[in-house]
Amino acid sequence: MADALRLILFDVDGTLIDSAGLISAAMAEAFSAAGRRAPTPIETRTIIGLSLPIAVARLDPDLDPPALDAVTAAYKAAFVRLRATGDEATATPLFPGARAALERGDASGALMGVATGKARRGLEHILDGHDLRGFFVTTQTADDAPSKPHPGMVLNALRATGVDGARAAVVGDTSYDMAMARAGGAAAIGVAWGCHHADALIDAGAQAIIESFEALDDALERLGVGA
Ligand SMILES: [Mg+2]
């Protein structure tokens, strides 16, 4: 019989939370403020999930260090300002079925956590805004480990919970999540509603692609991370 203890690690942006619009708007504003060409929403979608300085550098590899710092600071200011124009539910809504999936995981006794490229302050804002804090026993952020796809966040979460990698899965929307999961020894489940196409997720190591949160429990079961 499989070990009863299991861990489901969720990415946040593009997986639990529909934040691409807000992030794209903030990124465009930040680059414009620095006198650079603003990335398009499609360009920004490719870097959502990376830690912020790495994401900014990926969007404009020609930025020198002071310009990189300026764009990063301008992004943080723009994000906070834009976010404040609406309440959490409208600015960064949960994807359909997300809360129900967390409730099912909780009821089944699964340990759950998050692994996000967001800074801890940003994550806490989201968790409090959606009243999600109680679901997660471990929260891994850009402040705790190198940017995805480095496996540090997965390894930290396994260590924190005492769960074996064979009984852990990462649920995410980008190739960075999938590569992080596999490098950390966890199963990789891609979601079809986020920033990267399913083909990119599979190329990066996704072992299952789910079209909705309703399909999550079956995917976990197939990968040996079921209840
Ligand atoms: Mg994501």
Side-chain angles (χ1 to χ4, degrees), residues 11-17 19 48-50 115-117 148 171-174 176-177 191 194-196:
D11 168 57
V12 177
D13 292 311
T15 300
L16 292 174
I17 303 282
S19 50
I48 292 174
L50 296 173
T116 178
K148 301 171 185 180
V171 182
D173 71 308
T174 67
Y176 317 124
D177 297 302
V191 306
C195 289
H196 287 185

Side-chain angles (χ1 to χ4, degrees), residues 151-226:
M153 291 192 227
V154 171
L155 298 175
N156 284 349
L158 293 174
R159 201 176 306 118
T161 56
V163 175
D164 190 272
R167 287 286 284 157
V170 171
V171 182
D173 71 308
T174 67
S175 55
Y176 317 124
D177 297 302
M178 304 299 100
M180 172 184 72
R182 301 300 297 274
I189 298 176
V191 306
W193 55 83
C195 289
H196 287 185
H197 288 290
D199 290 349
L201 301 180
I202 289 167
D203 285 349
Q207 294 154 296
I209 302 289
I210 57 173
E211 302 287 335
S212 74
F213 269 115
E214 283 67 42
L216 177 59
D217 298 3
D218 283 348
L220 288 166
E221 185 71 40
R222 282 202 306 282
L223 295 172
V225 193

Side-chain angles (χ1 to χ4, degrees), residues 10-13 49 51 114-119 123 140-142 148 153:
F10 293 90
D11 168 57
V12 177
D13 292 311
S51 296
V114 296
T116 178
K118 302 181 97 62
L123 174 65
Q140 302 295 326
T141 71
K148 301 171 185 180
M153 291 192 227

Side-chain angles (χ1 to χ4, degrees), residues 10-13 15-18 88-89 92-95 97-103 106 112-114 118 122-139 213:
F10 293 90
D11 168 57
V12 177
D13 292 311
T15 300
L16 292 174
I17 303 282
D18 187 0
E88 205 63 49
T92 52
L94 281 166
F95 281 106
R99 185 178 300 279
L102 295 172
E103 287 169 348
D106 199 38
M112 296 188 292
V114 296
K118 302 181 97 62
L123 174 65
E124 290 184 345
H125 189 96
I126 288 281
L127 296 182
D128 289 338
H130 289 286
D131 193 22
L132 298 176
R133 204 181 274 267
F135 286 115
F136 302 118
V137 297
T138 182
T139 53
F213 269 115

